[in-house]
Structure formats: structure tokens, C-alpha cells
Amino acid sequence: MAVLQKLRTKFGLAISILVALGLLSFIIDPTQVESALNSMSSKYDVGEVNGKSISYTDFQEEVEKYTTISEMLTGSSASSAAQQQQIRNAAWQGLVDKYLVVKNAKAAGLRVGEAEMVELTTGDNISPVILQSGVFSDQNGNFNPENVVTFVQNVSSDETGRLKMYWDYLQNTVYNQQFYQKYGALFTYSNADNALTLAKDVEENNNTTDVEFVMIPHSYAVDSTIVVSDSEIKSYYNSHKKFFRQTASRDIEYVVFEVVPSQDDINEASNRVAEVYDDFCTTDNMKSFLLKNSDRSLSTYWFKAGELNTISTDVNDYAFGVDTKNASPIFRSGNTFYAARVMDSSMLPDSVYVKHILLQGDKADHLADSLCTAASQKGASFTNLVALYSTDQNSAADGELGNIGWMTQSYMIPGFESVIDAQVGKPFVLKTQYGTHVVLVSEKTKPVLKKQVAILEKTTLASNQTFNEYYAKANKFATIANGNYENYRAAVDSLGVYSHPMNRVTEATEAYGAIDNAKEVTRWIFDNKKGKVSNIITVNQNCFFITVVKDIHEEGYAKISEVSSTIRQQLYAEKLSEKKAADVAEQIKGLTTLDEIAEKLGTSISTETGVAFSSLSSRSLDPKFIGALSIAPEGKICGPVAGSIGTYVFKVTGREVASFYTEDDAKVFRNQKNQYNSQMLVPVMSADAEVVDHRARFF
């Protein structure tokens, strides 16, 4: 228990590492994947990594490992939607590491040996994973190798197997990170700098150009003389096909009838709060009262100023205001009504440092009283009493036997809540599910004013009548829509509702507008054909969707018909640039100065100084223009250049070789590119192995 609690109390320090590794709890509703469990079809696989099919069972086993470790750290299996997403990402990454990254690294001849692992976990070259886990830190937050040894010794005696699971997890993470480091080093060190490349980088960044130019901007008007043929589009598509790879998606329209409380419903909620308000102000049994009359039960939490703002700023201002003898007035925030009553006030610390002696068995209560007396009156060493009598010989925070460590209201062993207001240095007895404890609070943070606040809260809910009215509207729409897009549009027009267009909906889509948790809509969309209109799909019990599939984009390469308009625009722009450049060339034929050219073209001369090629400059200049002037002869009229936004005629008026860009700058830039390459290692490897990720079908 003590080692598990050590994990929990150190969670704050450990989270920076554990979140990065995706170590957060995850619970999945098995009903969401019931159909997958009943089929062996690859359609119901979570994905495929390097030729290895990942079934739901494979994925769930990975998830359960992280779930168990998370419960050890937090003492809770609860999780938010964001945490669930993070744990899914971590579980998936674990499989990618196992079947792809490590496998490829081994194929490249890389190895991580047993002796190397010993050095990285318990030796003289400790991995950052171990160093920063927080579990092995001393009282100053510094890594203590003795704590690692103690932890490993406890693994074999832990009957739950949880400590072994955590230790195996740490070792596996260290193991994988070594392969990442070694594999990345192959690329980093193969991209070594040499004198020639460094000198070229320095030269290019120190060469700047001064230029005078005229620019004729391209018109936004369509030039009907420029024709892009279907054969040209097809040729471009075939030669650039890799740029048109896509994930499966759908184009849809939908209407949604969201049930909102009527004014009658709001008035009813207000009246209900008003009816019980007097009793709220006077009741002696607040717990029972709130269970019967409030959406929020009585909390024993001690709030300090500001913390109640998460519920209501009005409630917080009342609780820490001048007059708290009487209950607050009734506040309204949106469709929720509040009233508050301060139940108790006290000066309390945010955290306390706790030591304990755990006793179990029939004589535990009598022995606890004796030890409490001995520790408080006879001056006995608490640490010695722990060594002689405590069942828990593993609690040794900061290296002292019996120390549990710092506790807060949020990080607390169940049953230990009374330590928050316990007297420093005075041992006392309490009981928990683990046994009888002699507890000693040895330190506490500076006390601040805190209050226990009872909150009467009532959120307005739509009545059955209101609910039925909205459902009737949705049902009328669905009846008119009657299964096809033409009828759907007729329903939109006749009922005067707004149809929401939404393109490129993927299997991962969970939100439609401001409505979350709408995965059921997405599942329907991907299970139906183009032109199909849904029946009513209920989301969050208060939103009625009717949706229609307008177009289907299959996974793989986009059809040429889907991208032809984009290609046509690209080819049109290129042809327009070429035509404009040819037109300018014809107009300025025989002219020898920029003044003459500017006058002929009806424009003016612009100037730019210090234009550098290698960085393409930070100026809003056309890249094609920058490239042309970087190699143009000095003092000669050049062009026209067909740019992306206009046509250029220019003259280089001067060049300068400076020395502001140094070899060190070039090395920093190379390091940045190496870091980028290392970040792209897994994405490129995954693309090459054609990794398939269908988690969005299930979650």
C-alpha cells in the first residue's frame, strides 16, 4: 500500500513524463464494439502495423496495462474524454513501437543488450525515464538510486502484481527509447557537416542583392483564351498522384433539433428553488436536504478563495464576502439557479506531511492507544516504533521509515481526511480499510482561510412536453425527407430550417458544430450510401439529427474527378503566368531602360535592398523572382520573369558580401533540420509500411 501511495503522492512530479508517454486511464464502453467482437473481418480490426493486424483484443490488452498503472498513480479509474484520447494514443504508439520501430531498428543491426539495460535502470547511466519518474526521488525532489533498489526488492513481494507491471512498463519504455535514440543517431550523424557545405551555406546567406524592378500583377479576371484540357489534367494527376492521397471521408448535410428548456421550464425550476429556499437556510440536516432537493450533494471539501469560481463567481463572492452568517440570495447563471450557505470556516493548510504506524489484528486498537501514548508522552522515537510494530514496512518517503509523505485534499489515502486539520506533533489514532493507524502530522504549509460551503443547485431541464415538441418537429422533417436528398431539400425549404453543410467528415469526427459526443451520427454516415437520408439520430438525449450523405471519398488516392477543379486552377495559373510574361516581352521589345519599360507598361519602378536567396528572404517577394535575380548579371535589364502573382522585369543594381551569417549559424540551422528529421522518423516509417489506423471506428 505504501509504495502505491508513494506513486500517487508523487504523481504531480511524475505527470510531466507520464503524460508525454500517454500514461493516463481509459475505460471503454464494450457496447460500442460489440459488433466488432462478433466478426473476424478485417473491417473490425483497430488497424494494421507493418503487416500485423491489430484486433480489438490486441488493442484492449495494451490499454488495460496503462489503465492499471494509472489506477496505481491516481487511486481512481475515472477519466476525462481528453485523458481517454491520450491513453488510446499511447496504447497505439506502444504497438507501433513494438511492431514497427523496434523491428526496423533491429533490422538495421541495432541492439539493446542486457548489460546496457542494467546500466540504464539501476547502474551508473540511469535513463531519464527512471530519473524523472518521481517515484524514486528524495525529500528534495532529487533522484535517489537507493529508492530504485528498494522498489525492485518490493516487486517480488507484491502479491497484486501491480508493482511488477509498473516496473516492466518503465523497463520497456527505457528499452524502446534506446532504439529511438540509436536509430535517430544513424540519420543525424550521417548528415555530418563538412567544410565545403558549411562554406556554401555561409556564402549563400551572406550574399545579398539590391534590385530595381517593375511588376505587372496578374488580373483576377478570367482569361477565356486560356484553355486547360482534360488530357492535361489527367497528365498532371498521374505525375503528381502522391499529393492526392486521402483518408476516407464523407460530405454531408444535416439538420439538428436541439431541445432547450422553454420559458415555462425555466420558471418552473426557479419556483422549485424558491419553494425550498427557506428550508435550505435553516435545515440542520444539510446532507439529506441536498440529496432530496439539489443537483449537487453536500461536499466536505474545504474551499479557499477563488476555488468556487468553477461553480459560480456569485457563489464564490458570497462565500468569501463580508456577510456569510445568512445564506446567499438565489443566483442565476444561464439556466442554472444557485444558493449557497457557509457551513464552517477554518484556517487550514493546503498540505500536511504524514507519518503512520499500521496495525492489524484483534489487538490493534489497544496497541494503537499504547503506541499513541508512548509517542506523545514518553518521547519514544516514532521511527523506532514503526520498525517494531508497523505492518507497513515499505512507507519510507524521504528515506525515513513510516513516512507517507505530503498529503492534500486531492491526494489523500481514503480515511485519512482528518490529517488536514490535525495538530502538528500530536499523534492520534484513526481507522481505514487497511487497519488501525497511529498517525503523526510532522509538518504543514501555512494555514489559509477555508470554508465548507453547501450549494443548492438546480439546472433547468426541458419538460416532457418541451421534449415531445422538439421530437415532433424532428419527426415531421424526417417524414418529409423520406430517405433521399431531393426530399431532404424539400423538407428544409418547407419547414424553414437551416441545413448545415459539412465536408470531409472522417471516422474520427465526434462533434458537429457545438454538439459533442455525436459519434453515433458519424457511424451512420459511414454505414450508408450516397444520397441516403437518416431517420432521427438522438445525441446526448437532447439533440435530434437528420443527416444525408452527399458524397463519398474512399481511403487511398482521390479520384481525378474529385481533384480536377483544383488541378485545373493550378494549370490555368501556370499558363496565365506564361502568357502574361509573353505579352510583357512583346510590349517592351527594343526598350533599354527601366524608365522606358515602366512608362510603356503604365507602372512605376520599385526597389528592394539586401535580398538573400538561401532564406528566400522574409519579404513578400515572389520566390520565382528571388531565384531569378540571385543569378542575374549586375546592371543588365532582365526578364520578363513569370512569377506566381505577377510578371517581373528587373535590373540588379548591386551585390554585397557581408559576414553577419557565421559558421555557427549554419551549424544551428543544420541541427534544426536534424531535429525535424528525427521528428519525421516515425511518420515516414509508418507511411512506408502503410500503417492503417482505424481506431476512430471504435472510439
Side-chain angles (χ1 to χ4, degrees):
M1 181 198 72
V3 177
L4 297 183
Q5 182 58 28
K6 171 78 174 198
L7 290 172
R8 294 170 186 162
T9 56
K10 290 291 184 179
F11 182 71
L13 180 61
I15 191 64
S16 61
I17 292 297
L18 298 176
V19 167
L21 300 175
L23 189 61
L24 292 166
S25 64
F26 168 68
I27 299 176
I28 179 170
D29 180 359
T31 62
Q32 295 182 357
V33 292
E34 181 177 356
S35 60
L37 296 177
N38 294 329
S39 174
M40 296 300 291
S41 169
S42 61
K43 177 181 178 182
Y44 300 104
D45 284 339
V46 174
E48 182 179 306
V49 179
N50 206 18
K52 167 68 176 177
S53 294
I54 308 299
S55 67
Y56 168 74
T57 302
D58 295 333
F59 188 68
Q60 183 64 7
E61 287 178 356
E62 193 75 7
V63 166
E64 287 174 355
K65 289 191 295 185
Y66 290 114
T67 303
T68 301
I69 295 169
S70 178
E71 289 174 355
M72 292 167 58
L73 292 169
T74 65
S76 171
S77 60
S79 60
S80 66
Q83 289 171 331
Q84 292 175 8
Q85 180 64 41
Q86 287 177 306
I87 193 63
R88 289 195 291 267
N89 291 342
W92 179 255
Q93 187 59 50
L95 293 167
V96 171
D97 289 346
K98 179 179 180 180
Y99 295 117
L100 181 61
V101 178
V102 172
K103 186 176 180 179
N104 285 358
K106 288 182 176 179
L110 301 176
R111 295 292 183 269
V112 177
E114 292 184 8
E116 186 176 358
M117 285 298 296
V118 171
E119 280 292 295
L120 290 167
T121 54
T122 58
D124 296 327
N125 186 28
I126 302 295
S127 165
V129 175
I130 305 294
L131 288 172
Q132 301 178 41
S133 68
V135 177
F136 311 117
S137 302
D138 59 20
Q139 64 270 25
N140 297 317
N142 299 318
F143 173 74
N144 186 346
E146 295 180 2
N147 290 345
V148 180
V149 176
T150 302
F151 184 93
V152 175
Q153 290 173 345
N154 288 326
V155 167
S156 60
S157 60
D158 173 35
E159 296 181 358
T160 68
R162 290 190 163 197
L163 294 186
K164 182 179 185 304
M165 179 178 289
Y166 182 66
W167 182 240
D168 288 345
Y169 169 80
L170 290 177
Q171 291 185 97
N172 186 62
T173 303
V174 171
Y175 182 76
N176 289 346
Q177 284 201 354
Q178 279 299 101
F179 277 113
Y180 270 99
Q181 183 177 355
K182 292 181 178 183
Y183 206 113
L186 292 179
F187 295 91
T188 299
Y189 292 113
S190 65
N191 190 26
D193 292 322
N194 59 63
L196 290 176
T197 57
L198 284 175
K200 183 179 179 181
D201 287 346
V202 171
E203 179 184 359
E204 288 182 347
N205 280 278
N206 281 321
N207 285 344
T208 60
T209 302
D210 299 335
V211 62
E212 294 179 349
F213 65 96
V214 295
M215 190 269 277
I216 306 301
H218 293 164
S219 171
Y220 290 105
V222 176
D223 188 336
S224 60
T225 66
I226 298 176
V227 177
V228 178
S229 67
D230 291 342
S231 61
E232 289 174 317
I233 293 174
K234 184 176 181 180
S235 176
Y236 185 94
Y237 174 82
N238 290 334
S239 60
H240 296 81
K241 195 170 182 179
K242 65 180 180 179
F243 296 113
F244 302 115
R245 190 165 185 86
Q246 64 182 11
T247 58
S249 65
R250 304 290 187 265
D251 296 341
I252 69 165
E253 286 186 35
Y254 69 91
V255 297
V256 58
F257 297 86
E258 184 174 3
V259 180
V260 295
S262 67
Q263 188 58 51
D264 288 342
D265 297 332
I266 294 172
N267 293 339
E268 176 63 24
S270 177
N271 292 336
R272 288 201 302 270
V273 173
E275 287 171 1
V276 300
Y277 176 74
D278 289 342
D279 291 339
F280 172 71
C281 296
T282 59
T283 183
D284 293 326
N285 190 347
M286 184 61 75
K287 181 177 181 180
S288 176
F289 174 86
L290 292 181
L291 284 174
K292 181 180 179 181
N293 298 292
S294 176
D295 296 338
R296 184 182 296 273
S297 59
L298 183 64
S299 172
T300 59
Y301 187 88
W302 290 92
F303 294 94
K304 63 182 178 181
E307 289 184 326
L308 285 164
N309 283 330
T310 58
I311 300 173
S312 165
T313 55
D314 290 327
V315 170
N316 183 80
D317 293 345
Y318 152 76
F320 292 91
V322 177
D323 180 17
T324 57
K325 293 181 180 180
N326 301 311
S328 76
I330 297 173
F331 303 118
R332 178 181 174 182
S333 177
N335 290 333
T336 302
F337 297 88
Y338 300 95
R341 180 176 158 190
V342 173
M343 306 302 293
D344 200 0
S345 299
S346 184
M347 297 295 293
L348 294 173
D350 286 333
S351 57
V352 295
Y353 198 92
V354 180
K355 305 180 179 186
H356 84 139
I357 301 169
L358 175 61
L359 304 172
Q360 297 172 331
D362 297 337
K363 299 181 180 180
D365 292 349
H366 177 72
L367 181 56
D369 291 335
S370 299
L371 293 177
C372 193
T373 301
S376 60
Q377 297 180 5
K378 298 182 180 179
S381 167
F382 195 87
T383 303
N384 290 341
L385 294 176
V386 173
L388 290 172
Y389 298 103
S390 183
T391 302
D392 178 12
Q393 293 293 308
N394 294 323
S395 289
D398 305 320
E400 186 174 334
L401 196 61
N403 287 9
I404 295 176
W406 289 99
M407 287 187 178
T408 68
Q409 290 186 91
S410 300
Y411 297 100
M412 178 72 62
I413 296 176
F416 269 63
E417 290 79 9
S418 60
V419 299
I420 288 294
D421 59 355
Q423 184 177 334
V424 172
K426 185 176 181 179
F428 62 98
V429 178
L430 60 78
K431 293 185 178 182
T432 71
Q433 59 181 316
Y434 306 107
T436 302
H437 307 256
V438 177
V439 178
L440 178 66
V441 174
S442 61
E443 295 180 67
K444 63 172 59 176
T445 56
K446 183 180 179 180
V448 296
L449 178 62
K450 296 190 177 186
K451 300 187 178 186
Q452 287 184 324
V453 182
I455 300 174
L456 172 62
E457 179 179 324
K458 184 64 68 175
T459 298
T460 305
L461 300 177
S463 64
N464 288 337
Q465 179 181 346
T466 301
F467 185 92
N468 291 336
E469 288 174 356
Y470 277 91
Y471 187 85
K473 293 178 182 178
N475 189 57
K476 184 176 182 180
F477 184 97
T479 301
I480 298 174
N482 195 27
N484 64 65
Y485 183 62
E486 291 76 14
N487 291 340
Y488 173 92
R489 290 307 312 177
V492 169
D493 294 337
S494 63
L495 298 180
V497 297
Y498 178 69
S499 180
H500 302 261
M502 191 169 177
N503 294 335
R504 298 291 177 173
V505 175
T506 69
E507 288 184 300
T509 301
E510 296 183 5
Y512 292 81
I515 302 172
D516 296 324
N517 304 315
K519 202 61 179 290
E520 192 62 33
V521 176
T522 304
R523 291 193 179 95
W524 184 92
I525 291 167
F526 275 83
D527 284 341
N528 285 274
K529 298 179 180 180
K530 180 179 178 179
K532 183 70 175 177
V533 180
S534 73
N535 293 319
I536 295 174
I537 304 172
T538 304
V539 174
N540 300 329
Q541 299 182 335
N542 70 336
C543 295
F544 305 125
F545 279 78
I546 298 96
T547 185
V548 57
V549 180
K550 292 186 62 180
D551 205 355
I552 293 176
H553 308 286
E554 300 291 359
E555 185 169 359
Y557 294 103
K559 297 177 183 178
I560 191 170
S561 59
E562 295 177 316
V563 296
S564 61
S565 61
T566 301
I567 297 174
R568 189 181 300 276
Q569 291 173 4
Q570 173 68 25
L571 295 180
Y572 172 85
E574 292 176 2
K575 287 189 172 186
L576 178 64
S577 294
E578 293 169 1
K579 181 181 178 181
K580 292 294 184 182
D583 290 344
V584 169
E586 183 64 28
Q587 292 182 64
I588 66 173
K589 186 182 296 183
L591 302 182
T592 58
T593 68
L594 277 181
D595 289 327
E596 294 174 331
I597 292 171
E599 182 178 358
K600 179 67 175 179
L601 297 176
T603 185
S604 58
I605 298 174
S606 301
T607 62
E608 287 285 352
T609 59
V611 180
F613 168 70
S614 62
S615 63
L616 292 183
S617 181
S618 60
R619 311 166 198 273
S620 57
L621 296 178
D622 198 310
K624 293 182 180 180
F625 174 44
I626 296 175
L629 67 87
S630 69
I631 59 173
E634 189 172 346
K636 181 180 178 181
I637 302 294
C638 298
V641 173
S644 299
I645 61 175
T647 301
Y648 300 83
V649 181
F650 65 93
K651 180 176 68 175
V652 173
T653 57
R655 285 197 169 91
E656 182 178 355
V657 178
S659 58
F660 56 85
Y661 191 86
T662 68
E663 191 172 290
D664 287 340
D665 295 325
K667 290 180 178 179
V668 168
F669 183 63
R670 288 295 178 91
N671 287 336
Q672 291 173 342
K673 290 196 292 185
N674 285 336
Q675 291 176 6
Y676 172 78
N677 289 338
S678 65
Q679 293 171 359
M680 293 302 298
L681 178 62
V682 175
V684 172
M685 194 183 293
S686 297
D688 183 65
E690 296 185 347
V691 170
V692 178
D693 182 358
H694 286 315
R695 285 177 290 154
R697 290 179 179 173
F698 300 85
F699 312 106

